Amino acid sequence: MTSGGAALLYAAVAATGNVIGAVAVVRHAAGSLRVIDHFVAFGAGFMLAVCLTEIVPEALVRSGASGPLLVLVGYLAVHLTQHTVTPHFHFGEETHAVNARAGTSALVGLLLHTCFDGVAIASAFLVRPTLGVMVFVAILLHKLPEGVTIASLMLAGGRSPAAAVRAAALLGLATLLGVLLTDSLGVLVRHGLALSGGVTLYVAASNLVPEFQGKRGWSLPAAFFTGAALFYATRALVERFA
Ligand SMILES: [Zn+2]
Ligand SMILES: [Zn+2]
């Protein structure tokens, strides 16, 4: 399989995570949602480890002197689209009533981020397949909470359960689009990794971590540290069998 074909396949699996998260919300699966809470913390640790020790160093090689600036641009772009031009958005389940417009604008804001989830997977596959698999795992881990976020926000804004699941499916499609764009746009072939490094850093450190920062107890911090540690176990496993 070509690296583009493999990236598309892995991205499709990750995109399914968006829909599964949304379905858990519309079915009021409280038990699943508690598990997904731990996915947020575990995924944040794993994602941060992949981002800082693999994606960013590789991106600096691939993009050369413009690498650091592109990482910064990726980071700032998420803040602009998800949190500046939108009236209300935060990661995690929406538990209070929001304006109907909040769901739609959060969806639009999230689309750039989820498109870059796909760019990250495709760019990592272009570097080497084992990096592609590790970035896929990192992306997959936050796809469930991402589906929960958009579906609960749509419901809180008064939209129907079907509309909530459709919104999550759209996020999944944007991830597939990110893979296709990376394979067809020269600029993303070269600089997609640096841009998606900044996006990934934002999602891990500025979206996921704040979701459990204020919560008490040991189980969420334990999931966070375990996520970072398990990245090294995954890397050893992936490199061994590749
Ligand atoms: Zn809220
Ligand atoms: Zn994402």
Side-chain angles (χ1 to χ4, degrees):
M1 200 185 304
T2 62
S3 81
L8 200 59
L9 194 69
Y10 279 102
V13 175
T16 313
N18 282 152
V19 178
I20 295 173
V23 169
V25 169
V26 301
R27 289 207 178 148
H28 305 289
S32 317
L33 291 176
R34 247 194 319 281
V35 173
I36 289 173
D37 248 4
H38 286 79
F39 262 82
V40 170
F42 182 86
F46 194 99
M47 223 173 174
L48 205 55
V50 178
C51 181
L52 293 178
T53 67
E54 293 281 344
I55 299 180
V56 169
E58 288 287 355
L60 297 183
V61 174
R62 227 173 147 78
S63 290
S66 50
L69 179 64
L70 291 171
V71 174
L72 179 65
V73 167
Y75 186 99
L76 296 178
V78 183
H79 194 78
L80 178 72
T81 53
Q82 258 180 218
H83 302 273
T84 309
V85 295
T86 49
H88 181 88
F89 181 79
H90 52 85
F91 231 83
E93 194 185 6
E94 193 59 72
T95 49
H96 50 97
V98 294
N99 182 303
R101 221 165 53 81
T104 315
S105 63
L107 175 63
V108 174
L110 260 173
L111 284 172
L112 180 93
H113 147 186
T114 51
C115 181
F116 269 93
D117 287 342
V119 174
I121 293 175
S123 311
F125 266 98
L126 286 176
V127 175
R128 56 180 203 280
T130 51
L131 183 61
V133 173
M134 286 184 279
V135 171
F136 155 73
V137 174
I139 299 285
L140 176 67
L141 287 169
H142 88 293
K143 280 295 195 189
L144 288 169
E146 205 166 84
V148 169
T149 303
I150 193 64
S152 58
L153 196 56
M154 295 302 260
L155 292 180
R159 308 291 292 272
S160 72
V165 174
R166 266 202 307 277
L170 213 56
L171 293 184
L173 284 177
T175 302
L176 295 180
L177 181 70
V179 173
L180 297 174
L181 286 178
T182 306
D183 289 336
S184 50
L185 288 180
V187 60
L188 282 182
V189 170
R190 171 112 193 263
H191 299 301
L193 200 64
L195 287 167
S196 59
V199 171
T200 308
L201 186 61
Y202 193 97
V203 173
S206 302
N207 277 151
L208 299 179
V209 169
E211 273 311 295
F212 58 90
Q213 237 168 9
K215 291 183 182 166
R216 307 213 37 98
W218 268 102
S219 80
L220 290 169
F224 179 49
F225 297 127
T226 306
L230 268 187
F231 157 70
Y232 288 95
T234 308
R235 184 165 69 176
L237 210 71
V238 166
E239 304 278 355
R240 191 187 165 121
F241 291 105

